Amino acid sequence: MTCAFSHTSYGCRKGKGLRIIILGGGTAGWMTAAALAHLVDRRHASVTLVESEEIGIVGVGEATLPHIRAFNTRLGIDEAEFMKATSATFKLGIEFRDWAGIGDSYIHPFGAFGHALDGVGFHHYLARAGRLAELESYSLPIVAAREARFAPPAEDPRSLLSTFGYAYQFDAVRYGPFLRSRAEADGAVRIEGRVEAVLRDDAGDVAALRLADGRVIEGDLFVDCSGFRSLLLDQTLDEPFEDWSHWLPCDRAVAMPSASAGPLTPYTTATAMTAGWRWRIPLQHRVGNGYVYSSAHIDDAAAADALVAAVEGKALAEPRLLRFKAGRRRRSWVRNVVGIGLASGFLEPLESTSIYLVQAAITALIELFPDRPISPVDREEFNRVIELEYDRIRDFLILHYHATTRADSPFWDHVRTMRVPDALAEKMDLFRRRGRVVTYREGVFLEPSWIAVYLGQRVVPQGHDQRADRPSPGALAEALDRLQAETRAAVATMPSHATYIDSIGATAGVAA
Amino acid sequence: MSDRPIRTIAVVGDGIAGWTAAAALARRVPNVAVALIPVAGLAPSFADIMGGTTPSASDFHGDLKLDDTDIVARTGGCFRLGTRFEGWSETPFIHGYGTTGIAIGSTPFAIAWSAARHEGRVASFDRHAPAAMLGAGNRFVPAGALGEPMLSGYGHGLQLDAPAYRQFFAGFARHLGVRVTAARLAGAVVENGLIAALALDDGARLVSDLYVDATNTSARLIGAVAPKDWQDWSHWLRSDSVIHAMGSPLDSLPSLDACTAVEGGWRLRAALPGRTAHAMVYGAQALGDRRAARLLRAAAGADPGAPIRFGSGRRRQPWIGNVVAIGEAAVMLEPLEAVPLHILHSHVDRLVATLPDRDFAPVELDHYNRESGEEADRLRDMLILHYTTAARKEPFWREMAAVPLPAPLAETLALFRERGRLPVRDRESFSPDSWLAVLLGQDILPRRSGIVAADIDVVHGSRIMDQYRVNLATVAAAAPTHRAYLASLARGSAA
């Protein structure tokens, strides 16, 4: 075989391929190992994952975004097999309860509202017709979610049943082992051991990990998936942490699974609480619950009590406490260390972005896979991409807290009155003024997401695009009525969520 | 509830900028009255002289419910698939719109091609581009029209006869009810930093909710509100003079325009069915007006007019209060890559799509100004790219290449040179396909590929590329000539 770009090419260099050492065997670690082992030829890179069974994993991110499907597909993972292994359910969006005001409920769906006409966004026509309050009834995934129905999107782009995407809610603790078997089959090597020391070379790069039993694991590129400990990026390389807790003050969570109760909902629920919010993630075999809160505004015991009181089904375990801080390392890739997952940053799981951020980092690492020596161009581009992802999600999360009328606790008073990043303040102003959504090409949440959350958080436009004044009031009303009816009719053809999971053979067996 | 919609708009300037803006506003915004106020002795913009468009013109016309082929037929225009560049680097190259080649396995064509190029195993990049290959043979057919799979995935712009296009839009605007004042502009009446009224040369005053400055470089309205707001780009883009002439038509009507670099600038030839537009864009110091005129005369067979001077740059704030500047009143870029009409169309579209109300809220205007500025900056970078990656040695070219690049362009070039990646940027007008056509056309090769592409078998890949190229040449040769295609349209509309 002839090599591409022969003077530098990966595989044709003298000696072996790049030795990649992944530190940590949580979700991030095994996602990284599985992807690299599957997608990078063994002649170019070897993949070794070091983990210690003594160290527990956080297992955050049970709810995901639709992007996870692309990840699974690229790794050749069969959907039913994956769902069975992780006890997964389908997810059409997230329901937010009590956020802008107590008693409010809205769903942020994976799909658009209505359709644009003459290049003018659908919500402008709704605003003009004074029917913004009916927004949900023009979203097929929301109507389906409210009725606990699910079917995958239709192929025909003209069908209303094609107007959405979907993700999964799954047991993250089982996703890691599921990926591990695949990674190992693709040649990744797992080493059990606790890291005792990080050895560095003369230049300051990480050269090796020394384990407690004395073994030394040498590598060329180290991927820090050590979770909040950030053993390499923080503890070894001292990369500074940008603290965002003044915008996102929640710094703890208490989690507790419970037995399923009621119909299997194809959506996650995030209910605002006195000092944070509570998640409800329905899996096949249980429901994941947790209260994400600000320790400055409520103590641990009170938070645990509030969670226990709110959970519907029978508790399946004692409440478990997690600590964190919102923010990110200034750079995710420093020297020959790439941080992926919690080692590089943390954003609360309000919009299910944890696994997405891991995936974005893996994708960027593969696209910018380094040579030896590592080019600063690769690092800088990687850091630019990751920074953009984090910052855009951060602003989107802040929006949920800041755009509220709640004044029932010091926590809500704080987030309602805090100063938000300038770019977000301007985005909110623009929407409030005329329903204008600032668009961008890179970044996870697109226009429909912003519209769903603005309106759900009662950021209501005072005006609308003047072009939406064109249709006559009668014609507009008729078109809206028709679309509502068509959406209802299309949803009525969908099976129930539980029925659909069963029909594709994705039902998990009795839990081990 | 804010209920202060804009009801009246005064568009000042009767060049192509004014007429297209007036027509678009009248067509696309309901419940507004649009007036157009002519300006005596208005200096023409580049868009009034050179009628090349990028593929985006089709969307612009479509939004106005106009059909491209109809415009072409009515104005004596034709089509353009891109530009042939000669004398910029070692070998001529074509920037054809749209895709080039096919993926080799899972490897994007540009990466596979670069790998083969490093080993000297492959024909030039443009010979794998459908638009370029059709253009090379003076042929034209829209993508997909022949049902031939290889002739798809490309784009085309229009080559318009600028004065006829302007006349067409003037008629269209009148048809849409745009009121044209008999009196011309005398000046803007400014009070408190806003336009209070327009003074007309018959002594009358005209008051409007919004004023659109389409007075080209004279910037008669925005300049009265903000005389000093210019961001100068002339250190990056040193051409400062243009001359132009109309020559006789070419028998084999090219579907590419020809852009030929000379020691102090470049020369454009854009063919129309009935005549051929020629222009020379140059640095007055570097080339000299007399030499420029001699070169253009030789090419055009006609005498050029007097030189038009210009300076590249843009206004920081094209929208201030109740006045918005469009076209050259806001952004000045030389007519490379058909950007003048592209910018104008984009300004008009942005104006329509982000129209505020009579409060002119700063947040809405700031947003407009930022996005419109970003768009101009990205276009600027695309033009600088042509110069900075050229291989000419004369002082004009060397000095330009020595100026530090705008940061985003420097980043893009570093990333591309290292590994063939192009960053995704907001408000970018040109597709990655276009960036690749220019970069690889000027022989800027990435040092290495991505890891997933690292296993390309170059021998095997080159064979696939060769086969693709040969097949493409065969199907392109069977496509109608540009003239034959135009004739078939004429027959179709007659039937």
Coordinates of all heavy atoms in Angstrom, one line a residue, chain A residues 127-195:
Chain A
A127 N -47.5 34.4 16.2 CA -47.5 35.7 17.0 C -48.5 36.6 16.4 O -49.3 37.2 17.1 CB -46.1 36.3 17.0
R128 N -48.5 36.7 15.1 CA -49.4 37.6 14.4 C -50.9 37.2 14.6 O -51.8 38.1 14.8 CB -49.1 37.6 12.9 CG -49.9 38.7 12.2 CD -50.5 38.1 10.9 NE -51.8 38.7 10.6 CZ -52.3 38.5 9.4 NH1 -51.7 37.7 8.5 NH2 -53.5 39.0 9.1
A129 N -51.1 35.9 14.7 CA -52.5 35.4 14.9 C -52.9 35.5 16.4 O -54.0 35.1 16.7 CB -52.7 34.0 14.3
G130 N -51.9 35.9 17.2 CA -52.2 35.9 18.6 C -52.4 34.5 19.2 O -53.1 34.2 20.2
R131 N -51.8 33.5 18.6 CA -52.0 32.1 19.0 C -50.7 31.4 19.5 O -50.5 30.2 19.4 CB -52.6 31.3 17.8 CG -54.0 31.7 17.5 CD -54.5 31.1 16.2 NE -54.8 29.7 16.3 CZ -55.5 29.1 15.4 NH1 -56.2 29.7 14.4 NH2 -55.7 27.8 15.4
L132 N -49.8 32.2 20.0 CA -48.5 31.6 20.5 C -48.7 30.6 21.6 O -48.0 29.7 21.8 CB -47.6 32.7 21.0 CG -46.8 33.5 19.9 CD1 -46.0 34.7 20.5 CD2 -45.8 32.6 19.2
A133 N -49.8 30.8 22.4 CA -50.1 29.9 23.5 C -50.3 28.5 23.0 O -50.2 27.5 23.7 CB -51.3 30.4 24.3
E134 N -50.7 28.3 21.7 CA -51.0 27.0 21.1 C -49.8 26.3 20.5 O -49.9 25.3 19.9 CB -52.0 27.1 20.0 CG -53.3 27.7 20.4 CD -54.1 28.0 19.1 OE1 -53.7 27.7 18.0 OE2 -55.2 28.6 19.3
L135 N -48.6 26.9 20.7 CA -47.4 26.5 20.1 C -47.2 24.9 20.0 O -46.9 24.3 19.0 CB -46.1 27.1 20.8 CG -44.8 26.7 20.2 CD1 -44.6 27.4 18.8 CD2 -43.7 27.1 21.1
E136 N -47.5 24.3 21.2 CA -47.2 22.8 21.3 C -48.0 22.0 20.3 O -47.6 21.0 19.8 CB -47.6 22.4 22.7 CG -46.7 22.8 23.8 CD -46.7 21.8 25.0 OE1 -47.6 21.0 25.1 OE2 -45.7 21.9 25.8
S137 N -49.2 22.5 20.0 CA -50.1 21.7 19.1 C -49.6 21.7 17.7 O -50.2 21.0 16.8 CB -51.5 22.3 19.2 OG -51.5 23.6 18.7
Y138 N -48.6 22.4 17.3 CA -48.0 22.4 16.0 C -46.7 21.6 15.9 O -46.0 21.7 15.0 CB -47.8 23.8 15.5 CG -49.0 24.7 15.5 CD1 -49.3 25.5 16.5 CD2 -49.9 24.6 14.4 CE1 -50.5 26.2 16.6 CE2 -51.1 25.3 14.5 CZ -51.4 26.1 15.5 OH -52.5 26.9 15.6
S139 N -46.4 20.9 17.0 CA -45.2 20.1 17.1 C -45.6 18.7 17.2 O -46.1 18.2 18.2 CB -44.3 20.5 18.2 OG -43.4 19.5 18.6
L140 N -45.3 17.9 16.2 CA -45.7 16.5 16.2 C -45.0 15.7 17.4 O -45.7 15.0 18.1 CB -45.3 15.8 14.9 CG -45.9 14.4 14.9 CD1 -46.8 14.1 13.7 CD2 -44.7 13.4 14.9
P141 N -43.7 15.9 17.6 CA -43.1 15.2 18.8 C -43.7 15.6 20.1 O -43.8 14.8 21.0 CB -41.6 15.5 18.7 CG -41.5 16.7 17.8 CD -42.7 16.7 16.9
I142 N -44.1 16.8 20.3 CA -44.7 17.2 21.6 C -46.1 16.5 21.7 O -46.4 16.0 22.8 CB -44.9 18.7 21.7 CG1 -43.5 19.4 21.7 CG2 -45.6 19.1 23.0 CD1 -43.6 20.9 21.9
V143 N -46.9 16.6 20.7 CA -48.2 16.0 20.8 C -48.1 14.5 21.1 O -48.8 13.9 21.9 CB -49.1 16.3 19.5 CG1 -50.4 15.6 19.6 CG2 -49.3 17.8 19.4
A144 N -47.1 13.8 20.4 CA -46.9 12.4 20.6 C -46.4 12.2 22.0 O -46.8 11.2 22.7 CB -45.9 11.9 19.6
A145 N -45.5 13.0 22.5 CA -44.9 12.8 23.8 C -46.0 12.9 24.9 O -46.1 12.1 25.8 CB -43.8 13.9 24.1
R146 N -46.9 13.9 24.8 CA -47.9 14.1 25.7 C -48.9 12.9 25.8 O -49.5 12.7 26.8 CB -48.7 15.4 25.4 CG -48.0 16.7 25.5 CD -47.9 17.2 26.9 NE -47.3 18.6 27.0 CZ -46.7 19.0 28.1 NH1 -46.6 18.3 29.2 NH2 -46.3 20.3 28.1
E147 N -49.0 12.2 24.7 CA -49.8 11.0 24.7 C -49.0 9.7 24.8 O -49.6 8.6 24.7 CB -50.6 10.9 23.3 CG -51.6 12.1 23.1 CD -52.4 12.0 21.9 OE1 -52.4 10.9 21.3 OE2 -52.9 13.0 21.4
A148 N -47.7 9.9 25.2 CA -46.9 8.7 25.4 C -46.8 7.7 24.2 O -46.8 6.5 24.4 CB -47.3 7.9 26.7
R149 N -46.8 8.3 23.0 CA -46.7 7.5 21.8 C -45.3 7.7 21.2 O -44.7 8.7 21.4 CB -47.7 8.0 20.8 CG -49.2 7.7 21.2 CD -50.1 8.3 20.1 NE -51.4 8.3 20.5 CZ -52.3 7.4 20.2 NH1 -51.9 6.3 19.5 NH2 -53.6 7.5 20.5
F150 N -44.9 6.7 20.5 CA -43.6 6.8 19.8 C -43.6 5.9 18.5 O -44.1 4.7 18.5 CB -42.4 6.4 20.6 CG -41.1 6.5 19.9 CD1 -40.5 7.8 19.8 CD2 -40.6 5.4 19.2 CE1 -39.3 7.9 19.1 CE2 -39.4 5.6 18.5 CZ -38.8 6.8 18.4
A151 N -43.0 6.4 17.5 CA -42.6 5.7 16.3 C -41.5 6.5 15.7 O -41.4 7.7 15.8 CB -43.8 5.6 15.3
P152 N -40.6 5.8 15.0 CA -39.5 6.5 14.4 C -39.9 7.4 13.3 O -41.0 7.2 12.7 CB -38.5 5.4 13.9 CG -39.4 4.2 13.7 CD -40.5 4.3 14.7
P153 N -39.2 8.5 13.0 CA -39.6 9.4 11.9 C -39.8 8.7 10.6 O -39.1 7.7 10.3 CB -38.4 10.4 11.8 CG -37.6 10.2 13.0 CD -37.9 8.8 13.5
A154 N -40.8 9.2 9.8 CA -41.0 8.6 8.5 C -39.9 9.1 7.5 O -39.3 10.1 7.7 CB -42.4 9.1 8.0
E155 N -39.7 8.3 6.5 CA -38.7 8.6 5.5 C -39.2 9.7 4.6 O -38.4 10.5 4.1 CB -38.4 7.4 4.6 CG -38.1 6.1 5.4 CD -36.6 5.9 5.4 OE1 -35.9 6.1 4.4 OE2 -36.1 5.4 6.5
D156 N -40.4 9.8 4.3 CA -41.0 10.7 3.3 C -40.9 12.1 3.9 O -41.7 12.4 4.8 CB -42.4 10.3 2.9 CG -43.0 11.3 1.9 OD1 -42.4 12.3 1.5 OD2 -44.2 11.1 1.6
P157 N -40.1 13.0 3.3 CA -40.0 14.4 3.9 C -41.3 15.2 3.8 O -41.4 16.2 4.5 CB -38.9 15.0 3.1 CG -38.8 14.3 1.8 CD -39.3 12.9 2.1
R158 N -42.2 14.8 3.0 CA -43.5 15.5 2.9 C -44.4 15.2 4.1 O -45.4 15.9 4.3 CB -44.1 15.3 1.6 CG -43.4 15.9 0.4 CD -43.9 15.3 -0.9 NE -43.7 13.8 -0.8 CZ -44.1 13.0 -1.8 NH1 -44.7 13.4 -2.9 NH2 -43.9 11.7 -1.7
S159 N -44.1 14.0 4.7 CA -45.0 13.6 5.8 C -44.8 14.3 7.1 O -43.6 14.6 7.5 CB -44.8 12.1 6.0 OG -45.4 11.7 7.2
L160 N -45.8 14.7 7.8 CA -45.7 15.3 9.1 C -44.9 14.4 10.0 O -44.3 14.8 11.0 CB -47.1 15.6 9.7 CG -47.7 17.0 9.5 CD1 -49.1 17.0 10.1 CD2 -46.8 18.0 10.1
L161 N -45.0 13.1 9.8 CA -44.4 12.1 10.6 C -42.9 12.0 10.4 O -42.2 11.2 10.9 CB -45.0 10.7 10.4 CG -46.4 10.5 10.9 CD1 -47.1 9.3 10.3 CD2 -46.4 10.5 12.4
S162 N -42.4 12.9 9.5 CA -40.9 13.0 9.3 C -40.3 14.2 10.1 O -39.1 14.5 10.0 CB -40.6 13.1 7.9 OG -40.9 14.4 7.4
T163 N -41.1 15.0 10.8 CA -40.7 16.3 11.2 C -40.1 16.3 12.6 O -40.3 17.2 13.4 CB -41.9 17.3 11.2 OG1 -42.9 16.7 12.1 CG2 -42.4 17.5 9.9
F164 N -39.4 15.2 13.0 CA -38.8 15.2 14.3 C -37.6 14.3 14.3 O -37.4 13.5 13.4 CB -39.8 14.8 15.4 CG -40.3 13.3 15.2 CD1 -39.8 12.3 16.0 CD2 -41.3 13.0 14.3 CE1 -40.2 11.0 15.9 CE2 -41.7 11.7 14.1 CZ -41.2 10.7 14.9
G165 N -36.8 14.4 15.4 CA -35.8 13.4 15.7 C -36.0 12.8 17.0 O -37.0 13.1 17.7
Y166 N -35.2 11.9 17.4 CA -35.3 11.3 18.7 C -34.0 10.9 19.3 O -33.0 10.8 18.6 CB -36.3 10.1 18.7 CG -35.7 8.9 18.0 CD1 -35.0 7.9 18.7 CD2 -35.9 8.7 16.6 CE1 -34.5 6.8 18.0 CE2 -35.4 7.6 15.9 CZ -34.7 6.6 16.7 OH -34.2 5.5 16.0
A167 N -34.0 10.7 20.6 CA -32.8 10.3 21.3 C -33.2 9.1 22.3 O -34.3 8.5 22.1 CB -32.2 11.4 22.1
Y168 N -32.4 8.8 23.2 CA -32.7 7.7 24.2 C -32.5 8.2 25.6 O -31.8 9.2 25.9 CB -31.7 6.6 24.0 CG -31.6 6.1 22.6 CD1 -30.4 6.4 21.9 CD2 -32.6 5.3 22.0 CE1 -30.3 5.9 20.6 CE2 -32.4 4.9 20.6 CZ -31.3 5.2 20.0 OH -31.2 4.8 18.7
Q169 N -33.2 7.5 26.5 CA -33.0 7.6 27.9 C -32.5 6.3 28.3 O -33.1 5.3 28.0 CB -34.3 8.0 28.6 CG -34.9 9.2 28.0 CD -36.4 9.5 28.3 OE1 -36.7 10.5 28.8 NE2 -37.2 8.5 28.0
F170 N -31.3 6.2 28.8 CA -30.7 4.9 29.1 C -29.9 4.8 30.4 O -29.6 5.8 31.0 CB -29.9 4.3 27.9 CG -28.7 5.1 27.6 CD1 -27.5 5.0 28.3 CD2 -28.7 6.0 26.5 CE1 -26.4 5.7 28.0 CE2 -27.5 6.7 26.1 CZ -26.4 6.6 26.9
D171 N -29.6 3.6 30.8 CA -28.8 3.4 32.0 C -27.3 3.6 31.6 O -26.7 2.7 31.1 CB -29.1 2.0 32.5 CG -28.5 1.8 33.9 OD1 -27.6 2.6 34.3 OD2 -28.9 0.8 34.6
A172 N -26.8 4.7 32.0 CA -25.4 5.1 31.6 C -24.4 4.1 32.2 O -23.4 3.8 31.7 CB -25.1 6.5 32.0
V173 N -24.8 3.5 33.4 CA -23.9 2.6 34.1 C -23.7 1.3 33.2 O -22.7 0.7 33.3 CB -24.4 2.3 35.5 CG1 -23.6 1.2 36.2 CG2 -24.4 3.6 36.3
R174 N -24.7 1.0 32.4 CA -24.6 -0.2 31.6 C -24.1 0.2 30.2 O -23.7 -0.7 29.4 CB -26.0 -0.8 31.4 CG -26.6 -1.3 32.6 CD -27.8 -2.1 32.3 NE -28.7 -2.3 33.5 CZ -29.9 -2.9 33.4 NH1 -30.4 -3.3 32.2 NH2 -30.6 -3.0 34.5
Y175 N -24.1 1.4 29.8 CA -23.6 1.8 28.5 C -22.1 1.6 28.4 O -21.6 1.1 27.4 CB -24.0 3.3 28.2 CG -23.7 3.7 26.8 CD1 -24.0 3.0 25.7 CD2 -23.1 5.0 26.5 CE1 -23.8 3.4 24.4 CE2 -22.9 5.5 25.2 CZ -23.3 4.7 24.2 OH -23.1 5.2 22.9
G176 N -21.4 2.0 29.5 CA -19.9 1.8 29.5 C -19.5 0.3 29.2 O -18.8 0.0 28.3
P177 N -20.0 -0.6 30.0 CA -19.7 -2.0 29.8 C -20.1 -2.5 28.4 O -19.4 -3.3 27.8 CB -20.5 -2.8 30.9 CG -20.6 -1.7 32.0 CD -20.7 -0.4 31.3
F178 N -21.2 -2.0 27.9 CA -21.7 -2.4 26.6 C -20.6 -2.0 25.6 O -20.3 -2.7 24.7 CB -23.0 -1.7 26.3 CG -23.6 -1.9 24.9 CD1 -24.1 -3.1 24.5 CD2 -23.5 -0.9 24.0 CE1 -24.6 -3.3 23.2 CE2 -24.0 -1.0 22.7 CZ -24.6 -2.2 22.3
L179 N -20.1 -0.7 25.7 CA -19.1 -0.3 24.8 C -17.8 -1.0 25.0 O -17.0 -1.2 24.1 CB -18.9 1.3 24.9 CG -20.1 2.1 24.4 CD1 -19.9 3.6 24.7 CD2 -20.4 1.9 22.9
R180 N -17.5 -1.3 26.3 CA -16.2 -2.0 26.6 C -16.1 -3.3 25.8 O -15.0 -3.5 25.2 CB -16.2 -2.3 28.1 CG -14.9 -3.1 28.4 CD -14.9 -3.4 29.9 NE -14.0 -4.5 30.1 CZ -13.8 -5.2 31.3 NH1 -14.4 -4.7 32.3 NH2 -12.9 -6.2 31.3
S181 N -17.1 -4.0 25.7 CA -17.0 -5.3 25.0 C -16.7 -5.0 23.5 O -15.9 -5.7 22.9 CB -18.2 -6.1 25.1 OG -19.3 -5.5 24.6
R182 N -17.3 -4.0 23.0 CA -17.0 -3.7 21.6 C -15.6 -3.1 21.4 O -14.9 -3.5 20.4 CB -18.0 -2.6 21.1 CG -19.5 -3.0 21.3 CD -20.4 -2.1 20.7 NE -20.4 -2.2 19.2 CZ -21.2 -2.9 18.5 NH1 -22.1 -3.7 19.1 NH2 -21.1 -3.0 17.2
A183 N -15.2 -2.3 22.3 CA -13.8 -1.7 22.2 C -12.8 -2.8 22.3 O -11.8 -2.8 21.5 CB -13.6 -0.7 23.3
E184 N -13.0 -3.7 23.2 CA -12.0 -4.8 23.3 C -12.0 -5.7 22.1 O -10.9 -6.1 21.6 CB -12.3 -5.6 24.6 CG -11.9 -4.7 25.8 CD -12.1 -5.4 27.2 OE1 -13.1 -6.3 27.3 OE2 -11.3 -5.2 28.1
A185 N -13.2 -5.9 21.5 CA -13.2 -6.7 20.3 C -12.5 -6.0 19.2 O -11.9 -6.6 18.3 CB -14.7 -6.9 19.9
D186 N -12.5 -4.6 19.2 CA -11.8 -3.9 18.2 C -10.3 -3.7 18.5 O -9.6 -2.9 17.8 CB -12.5 -2.5 18.0 CG -13.7 -2.6 17.1 OD1 -13.7 -3.5 16.2 OD2 -14.7 -1.8 17.2
G187 N -9.9 -4.3 19.6 CA -8.4 -4.2 19.9 C -8.0 -3.3 21.0 O -6.8 -3.2 21.3
A188 N -8.9 -2.6 21.6 CA -8.5 -1.8 22.8 C -8.1 -2.7 23.9 O -8.7 -3.8 24.1 CB -9.7 -0.9 23.2
V189 N -7.1 -2.3 24.7 CA -6.6 -3.1 25.8 C -7.0 -2.4 27.1 O -6.8 -1.2 27.3 CB -5.1 -3.2 25.7 CG1 -4.5 -3.9 27.0 CG2 -4.7 -3.9 24.4
R190 N -7.6 -3.1 28.0 CA -8.0 -2.6 29.3 C -7.0 -3.0 30.3 O -6.6 -4.1 30.4 CB -9.3 -3.1 29.7 CG -9.8 -2.7 31.1 CD -11.1 -3.2 31.4 NE -11.5 -2.9 32.8 CZ -11.2 -3.5 33.9 NH1 -10.4 -4.5 33.8 NH2 -11.6 -3.1 35.1
I191 N -6.5 -2.0 31.1 CA -5.6 -2.3 32.2 C -6.2 -1.9 33.5 O -6.7 -0.8 33.7 CB -4.3 -1.5 32.0 CG1 -3.5 -2.1 30.8 CG2 -3.4 -1.6 33.3 CD1 -2.2 -1.4 30.5
E192 N -6.3 -2.8 34.4 CA -6.9 -2.6 35.7 C -5.8 -2.0 36.6 O -4.7 -2.7 36.7 CB -7.5 -3.8 36.3 CG -7.8 -3.9 37.8 CD -8.9 -2.9 38.2 OE1 -9.8 -2.7 37.4 OE2 -8.8 -2.4 39.3
G193 N -6.0 -0.9 37.2 CA -5.0 -0.4 38.1 C -5.2 1.0 38.5 O -5.9 1.8 37.8
R194 N -4.7 1.4 39.7 CA -4.9 2.7 40.2 C -3.6 3.5 39.9 O -2.5 3.1 40.1 CB -5.1 2.7 41.7 CG -5.6 4.0 42.3 CD -6.1 3.8 43.7 NE -5.1 3.1 44.5 CZ -4.1 3.7 45.1 NH1 -3.8 5.0 44.8 NH2 -3.2 3.0 45.8
V195 N -3.8 4.7 39.3 CA -2.7 5.6 39.0 C -2.1 6.2 40.2 O -2.8 6.8 41.1 CB -3.1 6.7 38.0 CG1 -1.9 7.6 37.8 CG2 -3.6 6.1 36.7

